[in-house]
Amino acid sequence: MPPATASARPPGRPRSGVNAVVFAATLTTVRELGYARATVDRIAAAAGVAKTTIYRRWPSKGALIVDCLLDAFGPVPLEGTGRAELMSSAVRWIAAKIAEPGVGDAFAGVFSDAVSDPDLREVLSSRLQAPYRTALQDALGEPEDRILLFIDVAVGTLLHRMGMTGEPMADADVTALVEMLLTHFADGRPT
């Protein structure tokens, strides 16, 4: 009998693309079933992977959702040269992201869970909010407390609309939100 040859690939299912498949299945499952009913079991089934595959990468549904959102959002594309343009582009970008299928639902759901889960709150703060806060601080030269207020007002308003209507904010309302925020923040002075 000829000697067995070693495979260049480790045993088991190929790993490439698993995160992308799980993230897509997560957003689809959240969009179709709602955040609460989008369990890890259902997400795994939709992704065609074992539940253990998900739990090896993410210790909880909340951690999975945060990574899924990080993947969906990517880096904040701060566009423009002046403060008003930078702030407007940030608000319009987050509004567009929240409007993507499943993204707003996932964001609102994990945000709601974090109210009573300090560990999840820490993950949201350190992994999801901090990179965007830092980018805005650097671009606008604002102290952390003012950037946090800017994020709170913009994201809070957008998520509130999603929660109250099940729909993302209409473009005209996003424009009004930008105008309100610019009235308070555009000149760079605390009021």
Side-chain angles (χ1 to χ4, degrees), residues 30-95:
V30 168
R31 184 180 69 243
E32 291 174 357
L33 302 177
Y35 180 83
R37 293 182 54 222
T39 63
V40 171
D41 285 335
R42 289 178 170 149
I43 292 168
V49 301
K51 182 170 67 169
T52 55
T53 299
I54 292 177
Y55 280 121
R56 270 194 301 271
R57 288 167 171 77
W58 301 281
S60 66
K61 174 181 160 182
L64 166 61
I65 296 290
V66 168
D67 275 2
C68 183
L69 292 173
L70 284 166
D71 180 70
F73 290 147
V76 62
L78 294 172
E79 298 172 357
T81 55
R83 292 177 61 78
E85 288 176 342
L86 290 169
M87 295 170 80
S88 177
S89 73
V91 174
R92 292 180 188 288
W93 168 77
I94 192 65

Side-chain angles (χ1 to χ4, degrees), residues 95 98-99 154 157-158 161-162 165 167-175 177:
I98 287 173
T157 302
L158 294 165
R161 176 65 60 90
M162 178 68 83
T165 67
E167 298 291 329
M169 190 174 276
D171 289 341
D173 292 338
V174 172
T175 297
L177 175 61

Side-chain angles (χ1 to χ4, degrees), residues 105-135:
D105 303 306
F107 196 6
V110 76
F111 184 79
S112 178
D113 278 359
V115 170
S116 59
D117 184 340
D119 293 336
L120 181 56
R121 208 168 35 247
E122 173 57 30
V123 169
L124 279 173
S125 175
S126 64
R127 298 213 38 244
L128 189 61
Q129 184 186 62
Y132 301 113
R133 177 188 44 77
T134 302

